């Protein structure tokens, strides 16, 4: 960013997002953000509470962005169409924002209640979509866990180079979604 940019939490998060998405979550530091913003690291303390505060803020930002993406994808859809749209948006988020995605996956390391609320909003969005299947509260939790396992597992294996066979990866993802949804339909007769 150019000299003279007004520094606030939003500009800090933009810089931090660029860093983690291009260099990985472990490369995030106060120095790297300050350099990107052309400021001195102590200036960041006006907006965040050290590196742990920065990591918490980037995780909240990642959760909020992911939730926004999956909500928009599912908007106006229901049932299988909504699940497909939400899953594709979730996977694309992991592909486009690998560092933010990693930050979202590490939320269990932080005790900030704002972060827990941001994570709960993602779960609530998925639960809303799963309501179409007539699941009770406990089975909704199972379905949300299954959905997350499916998408996160696929994203993680893809990112680590685990899909080297000469078959289209997106077709494999749809195959897996089909199997998941067939299971929901079979178990719950929707």
């Amino acid at each position: 960013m150019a000299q003279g940019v007004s520094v606030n939490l939003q500009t800090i998060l933009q810089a931090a997002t660029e860093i983690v998405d291009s260099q990985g979550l472990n490369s995030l530091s106060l120095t790297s953000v300050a350099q990107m913003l052309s400021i001195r690291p102590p200036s960041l303390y006006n907006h965040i509470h050290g590196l742990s505060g920065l990591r918490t803020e980037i995780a909240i930002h990642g959760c909020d962005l992911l939730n926004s993406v999956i909500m928009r994808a599912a908007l106006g859809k229901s049932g299988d169409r909504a699940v497909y749209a939400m899953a594709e948006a979730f996977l694309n988020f992991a592909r486009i924002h690998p560092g933010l995605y990693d930050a979202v996956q590490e939320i269990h390391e932080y005790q900030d209640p704002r972060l827990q609320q941001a994570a709960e909003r993602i779960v609530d969005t998925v639960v809303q979509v799963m309501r179409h299947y007539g699941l009770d509260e406990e089975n909704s939790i199972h379905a949300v866990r299954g959905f997350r396992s499916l998408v996160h597992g696929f994203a993680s294996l893809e990112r680590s180079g685990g899909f080297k066979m000469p078959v289209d990866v997106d077709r494999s993802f749809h195959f897996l979604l089909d199997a998941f949804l067939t299971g929901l339909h079979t178990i719950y007769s929707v």
Side-chain angles (χ1 to χ4, degrees):
M1 294 195 169
Q3 188 80 10
V5 170
S6 175
V7 176
N8 56 36
L9 182 58
Q10 190 59 39
T11 58
I12 292 169
L13 290 174
Q14 287 172 346
T17 298
E18 286 182 43
I19 291 165
V20 300
D21 283 345
S22 65
Q23 300 170 31
L25 185 59
N26 290 331
S27 66
L28 184 64
S29 69
L30 296 177
T31 301
S32 63
V33 172
Q35 286 174 345
M36 182 167 272
L37 295 172
S38 300
I39 61 173
R40 294 171 19 113
S43 300
L44 294 171
Y45 285 93
N46 293 325
H47 307 283
I48 57 167
H49 301 289
L51 182 58
S52 65
L54 178 59
R55 288 181 70 95
T56 298
E57 293 297 337
I58 199 72
I60 292 169
H61 175 64
C63 284
D64 289 343
L65 187 57
L66 175 57
N67 190 47
S68 174
V69 164
I70 65 174
M71 280 179 67
R72 271 185 276 135
L75 189 66
K77 300 172 185 77
S78 64
D80 293 358
R81 287 184 59 231
V83 172
Y84 276 107
M86 190 170 56
E88 289 170 352
F90 200 113
L91 181 60
N92 284 332
F93 179 87
R95 289 171 172 168
I96 294 167
H97 293 291
L100 277 183
Y101 184 75
D102 287 345
V104 169
Q105 299 312 309
E106 292 185 4
I107 59 173
H108 60 278
E109 295 182 13
Y110 306 101
Q111 300 303 315
D112 191 304
R114 296 173 307 130
L115 182 53
Q116 301 309 317
Q117 291 166 354
E120 287 172 14
R121 286 190 292 272
I122 296 170
V123 173
D124 290 344
T125 298
V126 178
V127 166
Q128 287 295 328
V129 170
M130 294 297 173
R131 283 214 168 107
H132 168 82
Y133 298 96
L135 307 175
D136 60 27
E137 186 174 337
E138 182 178 329
N139 287 321
S140 290
I141 293 169
H142 296 317
V144 169
R145 286 177 177 165
F147 175 84
R148 181 178 180 212
S149 297
L150 180 154
V151 179
H152 175 65
F154 197 93
S156 296
L157 287 167
E158 182 180 53
R159 285 180 58 198
S160 69
F163 298 137
K164 296 197 186 288
M165 296 176 134
V167 175
D168 183 86
V169 176
D170 289 328
R171 289 186 65 198
S172 294
F173 186 63
H174 283 257
F175 177 89
L176 189 56
L177 283 170
D178 288 343
F180 176 75
L181 291 170
T182 297
L184 281 181
H185 288 285
T186 301
I187 294 169
Y188 299 105
S189 302
V190 176

